[in-house]
């Protein structure tokens, strides 16, 4: 097993380097409807990519797949086109996988599946409390190719302080077991470079393997292009980062159940420490 690694960018030069480094999916993020309101004031990535970015990236990707996150299901307005128009344009631009964010009900998922109509793979980004609670009915919908558990918005929905609390408290595992039982592949969260991270990336990778995850997003901390001086520096960061992941995976593939349990407990301990720090800062201590 090797995790599919995904990297968010709309730059052709960076996408070319990521593909060369072994990144499996280039992620174009077109979602913006409601996102500023949900995540305003937080240090989160809000990309504002467009279908034109999809068109520019399509010709250069011959190894990496092209994943596009569209907007939540919506009707046309003065500010934006309808979901149908948006999804049609993304399909025509050449997306391999289309991701639906911030859904809450099975009916939204059904509409999304019908709009894609088999022209690309479908991926559901589970990131609302309503979707988590309605997971059983959502999983009865035919045509779901993949699911991804979005820890950032989901932890906000539950009023948590740190997104990996959802991993530590068993929420991710509960959802993962239901998704896997339907034969649907899944992934969750974002991850920094091996050996780094507010919560150790090594622990998070270990949890991906324990839970049977298939893919993960490489976070901004993995390679923040805004902080690199040149394309050569970006290339080195991506190449070394992917190489380190693959080396770690060789070790994870041979862990015993007892070792995975040890890693799970370490993840909980690390998460609790981060939460304590966050809460202390909020209280001004």
């Amino acid at each position: 097993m090797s995790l599919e690694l995904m990297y968010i960018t709309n730059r052709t030069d960076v996408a070319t380097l990521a593909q060369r480094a072994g990144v499996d999916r280039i992620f174009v993020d077109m979602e913006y409807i409601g996102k500023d309101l949900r995540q305003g004031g937080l240090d989160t990535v809000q990309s504002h990519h467009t279908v034109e970015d999809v068109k520019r990236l399509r010709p250069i990707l011959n190894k990496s797949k092209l994943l596009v996150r569209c907007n939540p299901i919506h009707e046309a307005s003065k500010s934006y086109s309808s979901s149908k128009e948006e999804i049609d344009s993304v399909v025509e631009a050449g997306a391999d996988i289309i991701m639906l964010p911030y859904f809450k009900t099975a009916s939204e998922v059904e509409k999304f599946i019908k709009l894609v109509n088999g022209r690309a793979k479908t991926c559901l980004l589970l990131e609302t409390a309503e979707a988590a609670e309605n997971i059983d009915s959502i999983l009865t919908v035919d045509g779901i190719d993949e699911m991804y558990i979005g820890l950032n918005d989901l932890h906000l929905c539950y009023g948590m302080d740190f997104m990996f609390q959802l991993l530590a408290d068993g929420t991710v595992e509960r959802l993962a077991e239901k998704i896997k039982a339907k034969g649907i592949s899944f992934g969750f969260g974002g991850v920094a470079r091996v050996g780094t991270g507010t919560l150790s990336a090594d622990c998070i990778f270990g949890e991906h393997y324990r839970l049977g995850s298939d893919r993960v997003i490489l976070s901004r901390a993995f390679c923040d292009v805004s902080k690199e001086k040149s394309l050569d520096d970006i290339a080195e960061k991506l190449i070394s980062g992917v190489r380190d992941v693959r080396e770690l995976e060789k070790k994870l593939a041979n862990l015993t159940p007892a070792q995975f349990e040890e890693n799970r407990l370490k993840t909980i301990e690390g998460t609790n420490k981060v939460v304590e720090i966050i809460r202390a800062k909020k209280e001004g201590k």
Side-chain angles (χ1 to χ4, degrees):
M1 163 186 166
S2 289
L3 290 167
E4 283 190 301
L5 306 178
M6 305 189 287
Y7 187 72
I8 299 174
T9 186
N10 67 337
R11 288 177 50 176
T12 54
D13 52 357
V14 174
T16 298
L17 295 175
Q19 178 174 245
R20 191 178 303 159
V23 171
D24 302 286
R25 294 183 175 186
I26 302 302
F27 188 142
V28 174
D29 183 10
M30 290 176 51
E31 182 192 6
Y32 69 94
I33 297 175
K35 199 167 186 179
D36 288 341
L37 183 62
R38 300 197 308 269
Q39 300 183 358
L42 297 177
D43 184 24
T44 55
V45 177
Q46 297 183 30
S47 303
H48 299 289
H49 297 166
T50 70
V51 72
E52 295 304 316
D53 296 316
V54 183
K55 292 177 181 177
R56 289 187 301 104
L57 287 168
R58 178 67 277 168
I60 69 167
L61 298 181
N62 50 33
K63 292 182 180 179
S64 303
K65 297 294 183 181
L66 180 53
L67 180 148
V68 180
R69 176 160 59 191
C70 63
N71 282 290
I73 294 296
H74 62 278
E75 299 300 328
S77 73
K78 292 181 180 179
S79 302
Y80 38 79
S81 60
S82 68
S83 283
K84 181 182 186 309
E85 293 170 305
E86 181 180 65
I87 289 172
D88 283 346
S89 68
V90 168
V91 168
E92 291 168 9
D96 295 304
I97 309 109
I98 303 177
M99 175 184 278
L100 175 69
Y102 218 73
F103 62 91
K104 298 179 180 181
T105 65
S107 62
E108 291 172 277
V109 173
E110 288 174 346
K111 186 167 185 178
F112 171 65
I113 299 296
K114 288 179 181 177
L115 289 174
V116 177
N117 195 26
R119 296 175 295 170
K121 284 191 174 183
T122 57
C123 178
L124 303 184
L125 179 59
L126 195 165
E127 55 180 347
T128 68
E130 293 88 344
E133 298 309 313
N134 293 327
I135 185 65
D136 291 326
S137 63
I138 287 166
L139 287 172
T140 65
V141 178
D142 290 331
I144 303 170
D145 292 311
E146 305 173 0
M147 294 192 74
Y148 203 85
I149 304 170
L151 303 186
N152 193 51
D153 272 308
L154 190 55
H155 96 278
L156 294 176
C157 287
Y158 284 123
M160 293 179 173
D161 296 292
F162 181 47
M163 66 180 182
F164 286 110
Q165 283 177 267
L166 292 162
L167 184 58
D169 75 358
T171 298
V172 172
E173 184 163 8
R174 176 179 67 83
L175 295 170
E177 290 304 314
K178 289 179 178 290
I179 294 167
K180 288 191 297 182
K182 292 290 185 178
I184 298 172
S185 67
F186 81 100
F188 65 88
V191 71
R193 299 174 70 83
V194 171
T196 70
T198 306
L199 171 65
S200 169
D202 302 49
C203 285
I204 298 168
F205 278 117
E207 283 290 88
H208 275 274
Y209 265 67
R210 183 180 72 85
L211 297 174
S213 169
D214 297 289
R215 56 192 59 89
V216 66
I217 295 170
L218 302 176
S219 71
R220 179 172 50 183
F222 189 91
C223 179
D224 188 346
V225 297
S226 69
K227 295 182 179 179
E228 301 302 326
K229 295 179 180 179
S230 68
L231 284 176
D232 286 342
D233 290 336
I234 294 171
E236 192 282 327
K237 207 69 173 284
L238 288 167
I239 291 169
S240 63
V242 172
R243 181 192 62 225
D244 290 347
V245 171
R246 298 312 185 198
E247 287 300 314
L248 175 62
E249 286 185 304
K250 292 177 184 177
K251 299 176 183 177
L252 294 174
N254 293 312
L255 290 190
T256 64
Q259 289 172 317
F260 276 123
E261 175 62 10
E262 181 181 351
N263 183 75
R264 186 185 72 84
L265 295 175
K266 186 177 179 182
T267 300
I268 293 172
E269 180 183 4
T271 298
N272 290 338
K273 288 180 179 178
V274 173
V275 170
E276 286 177 9
I277 292 170
I278 292 172
R279 290 177 179 172
K281 287 182 178 178
K282 286 182 177 179
E283 295 170 2
K285 295 180 180 179

